Amino acid sequence: MELKVRAVAGTLESSDIYVVMEPGASGIELELKSTVADQYGDDIRKVVDETLNEMGVKAAKITLDDKGALDVVIKSRLQTAIMRAAQSKEFKWE
């Protein structure tokens, strides 16, 4: 999926994550700020990688400001930001 514009999803509330998704020139550039980075940073990156792979995103600049979000919240915020950045409304629900 090709990202066309800058898009955001989420909030800075406790147990949520604020995602900024921008088109990238090549590859994935990830900036992670998290209140639980020491304990769960690798797990958050794994959720990001899996979600990007599932949605076919090959190039993006992603900024995450995590306030202790669960994996399902991280994934849903990423999916929303990707769909908005790609200006797509054709989501495949599984």
Side-chain angles (χ1 to χ4, degrees), residues 40-86:
Y40 301 108
D42 291 340
D43 294 329
I44 294 169
R45 287 181 181 84
K46 183 178 176 187
V47 171
V48 171
D49 289 342
E50 289 173 354
T51 304
L52 294 174
N53 285 334
E54 288 172 4
M55 298 187 73
V57 176
K58 305 290 185 204
K61 179 180 176 187
I62 306 163
T63 305
L64 303 175
D65 193 344
D66 174 51
K67 303 297 183 193
L70 297 174
D71 289 356
V72 294
V73 174
I74 296 169
K75 185 172 183 172
S76 68
R77 298 300 192 201
L78 286 166
Q79 289 172 330
T80 301
I82 290 167
M83 295 298 287
R84 289 175 177 168

